[in-house]
């Protein structure tokens, strides 16, 4: 199957007033617009492209899609490529952890991409605590691009929605390739600013050269819209290599 990224860069409905059922109703093929934006160009220019559904993911939400990311990732991580996620509601019972291995000096840098079909059109949902998508890169010369999807949690304090971890630290900032996060939303499955929320919506740790475009994070509230917000939004965390030092957090 072939899917193209959506040109839609905004929310097609008010997440505070509508629940997950309304989201599922918008995942038919008519909600996918023509591929005119940069996400489609990224997918086309990044070598191998694979469809998450071909690796066992269920876009109807009727069954869990556990393991599909790992299988799709394994097929592209050696050389780079793109995981395309079609419209739909994909449910996962546990955190998905995807790792890019370190490369040898003679190997070319790798770029891996995870591309949905639009914010609130492609939805990745974790109903349990400690959910989310964690990407670990062991070589500073590799890059990750994520675009056009929403991650939801079905519990308060649900973990990290999407986090990009770098484990290979290098002092020369200009040596880092550019990674991006475009049109990604993190929220509770009951809408925005309701009972459910991510502990941290979107974030990076130990990674330089990441650009953020049109991302949205909705926190939670303990007792309605006039009470204080819960959860953190976009977290950018740097790692100090000094022994005993703590990460530096900007949010």
């Amino acid at each position: 199957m072939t899917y193209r990224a959506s040109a839609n860069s905004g929310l097609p409905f008010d997440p505070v007033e509508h629940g997950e059922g309304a989201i599922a109703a918008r995942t038919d093929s008519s909600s996918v617009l023509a591929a005119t934006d940069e996400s489609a160009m990224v997918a086309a220019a990044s070598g191998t492209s694979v469809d998450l559904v071909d690796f066992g993911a269920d876009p109807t939400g009727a069954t869990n899609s556990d393991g599909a990311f790992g299988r799709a990732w394994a097929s592209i991580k050696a050389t780079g490529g793109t995981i395309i996620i079609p419209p739909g509601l994909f449910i996962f019972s546990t955190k998905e952890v995807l790792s890019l291995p370190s490369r040898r000096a003679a190997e070319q840098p790798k770029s891996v991409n995870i591309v949905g079909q639009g914010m609130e059109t492609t939805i990745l949902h974790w109903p349990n605590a400690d959910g989310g998508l964690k990407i670990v890169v062991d070589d500073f010369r590799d890059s990750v691009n994520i675009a056009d999807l929403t991650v939801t949690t079905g519990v308060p304090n649900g973990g990290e929605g999407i986090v990009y971890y770098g484990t290979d630290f290098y002092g020369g900032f200009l040596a880092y390739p550019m990674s991006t996060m475009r049109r990604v939303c993190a929220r509770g499955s009951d809408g925005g600013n309701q009972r459910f929320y991510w502990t941290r919506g979107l974030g990076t740790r130990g990674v330089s050269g990441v650009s953020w475009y049109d991302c949205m994070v909705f926190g939670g509230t303990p007792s309605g819209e006039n009470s204080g917000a819960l959860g953190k939004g976009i977290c950018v965390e740097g790692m100090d290599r000094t022994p005993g030092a703590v990460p530096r957090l900007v949010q």
Side-chain angles (χ1 to χ4, degrees):
M1 292 181 286
T2 300
Y3 300 90
R4 304 298 296 276
S6 170
N8 178 21
S9 61
L11 295 175
F13 73 106
D14 183 349
V16 176
E17 297 179 357
H18 296 42
E20 207 72 77
I23 300 169
R26 296 192 61 91
T27 59
D28 58 280
S29 59
S30 64
S31 66
V32 183
L33 305 180
T36 58
D37 68 356
E38 62 271 27
S39 294
M41 290 185 282
V42 166
S46 300
T48 303
S49 294
V50 299
D51 189 322
L52 192 65
V53 171
D54 292 338
F55 293 86
D58 179 5
T60 71
T63 59
N64 281 349
S65 295
D66 294 343
F69 261 122
R71 291 186 289 270
W73 188 264
S75 73
I76 67 169
K77 68 179 183 179
T79 58
T82 300
I83 298 175
I84 298 177
I85 314 175
L89 174 63
F90 299 84
I91 297 178
F92 303 88
S93 64
T94 60
K95 180 186 297 182
E96 295 284 325
V97 180
L98 310 176
S99 298
L100 271 182
S102 297
R103 64 183 178 86
R104 298 181 179 88
E107 294 178 341
Q108 292 297 313
K110 297 183 292 290
S111 178
V112 293
N113 314 291
I114 299 175
V115 180
Q117 304 305 297
M119 191 186 292
E120 302 300 342
T121 298
T122 297
I123 298 171
L124 313 180
H125 176 58
W126 282 265
N128 306 315
D130 195 29
L133 181 62
K134 179 179 179 179
I135 300 172
V136 181
V137 177
D138 291 334
D139 194 303
F140 69 88
R141 293 160 290 191
D142 295 334
S143 60
V144 175
N145 302 284
I146 303 172
D148 293 308
L149 53 84
T150 290
V151 290
T152 64
T153 177
V155 296
N157 206 31
E160 297 175 308
I162 298 178
V163 61
Y164 174 20
Y165 274 68
T167 62
D168 185 18
F169 304 103
Y170 184 72
F173 172 79
L174 293 179
Y176 286 86
M178 182 64 69
S179 294
T180 60
M181 198 169 295
R182 302 172 182 269
R183 295 178 300 277
V184 176
C185 177
R187 60 173 179 81
S189 61
D190 54 352
N193 305 319
Q194 302 297 307
R195 292 182 302 131
F196 303 150
Y197 61 93
W198 292 105
T199 310
R200 294 184 178 182
L202 306 171
T204 61
R205 183 170 188 257
V207 181
S208 294
V210 180
S211 291
W212 303 76
Y213 301 87
D214 301 323
C215 293
M216 304 178 69
V217 179
F218 295 92
T221 57
S223 57
E225 63 182 10
N226 294 321
S227 59
L230 299 173
K232 298 183 185 299
I234 296 176
C235 301
V236 179
E237 201 172 13
M239 178 60 72
D240 190 333
R241 292 189 293 176
T242 303
V246 298
R248 299 182 296 276
L249 175 64
V250 179
Q251 64 187 37

